[in-house]
Amino acid sequence: MNRGIKIVGVFTGVVVIGLLVFAFRPQGNDVIRLGDLIVSKPKGKFSYKVMIVWGGLDYANPDWMLSQVPQNVLDGYLLIFAPHNKEMSSIQNTVLPYFNKDSISVSSWSLVGFSAGAKQVQKNYSSDYKFAGLIDPSTNSKLANKSYGNNTVMSYDLGNWNSYKGVKGSLPTLAQNISSGGGFSENINQSHKDFVRDFFNRHIR
């Protein structure tokens, strides 16, 4: 009887300690600048879901992209914000030494791109990524005709590309290839600038 009470007591103590560690873990996010990259890292985590986020032209730089991401996503992912033309190899050469130095463990990789930056997602697409997000993306016939799988989500407004005939002509092909591969594509009526916050709110979990 006493032995049973002791076991229950030890188990209860372990649970309580675990709950206290969880409750008092550091809150918020660390924001680190690595050259032209911005890294947002949740505090109090041991393993991270990593998402690389490419912005667009002009206003849609890494700082602006960071400002569009809701707190629940900031809390759930280690986010790497990159300029639209930053190559994947260059990003890896910058962040992987930082990951090693800080003993950062990666549980999954995802790619997201907005506007011109979405071309980087298309160029580097693989079914091995947990998630591939295309936010009102720029594209071309070569990228649109690639194969995309069920890890791909695209949200766009064809009307936003009226002044860019090559992009507008290729977007329906891209949408069709995403859908035929088991991914999700939607053509919605929304201003270009409003897409980023909306996409993160509705499609990133």
Side-chain angles (χ1 to χ4, degrees):
M1 182 68 175
N2 288 339
R3 184 170 178 270
I5 291 172
K6 287 180 180 178
I7 292 172
V8 171
V10 170
F11 177 76
T12 303
V14 170
V15 171
V16 169
I17 291 171
L19 289 173
L20 287 172
V21 169
F22 179 82
F24 290 101
R25 74 196 190 283
Q27 302 293 310
N29 308 83
D30 290 322
V31 176
I32 303 101
R33 294 182 183 271
L34 301 174
D36 56 359
L37 303 176
I38 296 177
V39 177
S40 173
K41 183 179 72 167
K43 294 180 179 180
K45 289 186 178 293
F46 306 100
S47 181
Y48 297 87
K49 296 182 292 183
V50 176
M51 179 177 289
I52 302 174
V53 181
W54 283 274
L57 298 171
D58 302 325
Y59 63 86
N61 56 41
D63 286 280
W64 184 84
M65 294 294 291
L66 170 59
S67 75
Q68 299 301 295
V69 178
Q71 191 61 48
N72 67 299
V73 178
L74 294 173
D75 291 341
Y77 288 83
L78 187 154
L79 294 150
I80 302 165
F81 297 92
H84 72 93
N85 57 352
K86 191 79 169 180
E87 296 290 338
M88 173 70 87
S89 59
S90 181
I91 294 172
Q92 291 173 331
N93 288 339
T94 300
V95 301
L96 292 182
Y98 163 69
F99 284 6
N100 290 333
K101 179 176 72 70
D102 279 26
S103 300
I104 291 173
S105 174
V106 178
S107 61
S108 66
W109 289 87
S110 296
L111 308 180
V112 172
F114 170 55
S115 195
K119 284 185 173 181
Q120 298 292 343
V121 178
Q122 295 165 73
K123 284 170 59 177
N124 293 284
Y125 174 77
S126 167
S127 59
D128 293 333
Y129 289 111
K130 179 184 178 184
F131 181 83
L134 302 174
I135 309 173
D136 208 18
S138 179
T139 189
N140 57 44
S141 59
K142 180 180 178 180
L143 295 173
N145 279 288
K146 291 178 65 174
S147 295
Y148 298 91
N150 60 8
N151 61 342
T152 312
V153 173
M154 178 171 76
S155 185
Y156 70 106
D157 182 349
L158 201 60
N160 288 340
W161 297 96
N162 287 334
S163 298
Y164 302 86
K165 300 303 181 184
V167 177
K168 186 174 183 179
S170 298
L171 275 171
T173 301
L174 177 59
Q176 177 58 43
N177 284 332
I178 289 171
S179 297
S180 63
F184 175 77
S185 176
E186 60 179 1
N187 181 14
I188 62 176
N189 182 19
Q190 185 159 249
S191 71
H192 189 59
K193 197 171 185 177
D194 291 337
F195 261 96
V196 177
R197 187 180 300 277
D198 176 70
F199 188 92
F200 275 95
N201 275 320
R202 293 194 298 117
H203 297 301
I204 308 295
R205 297 288 181 265

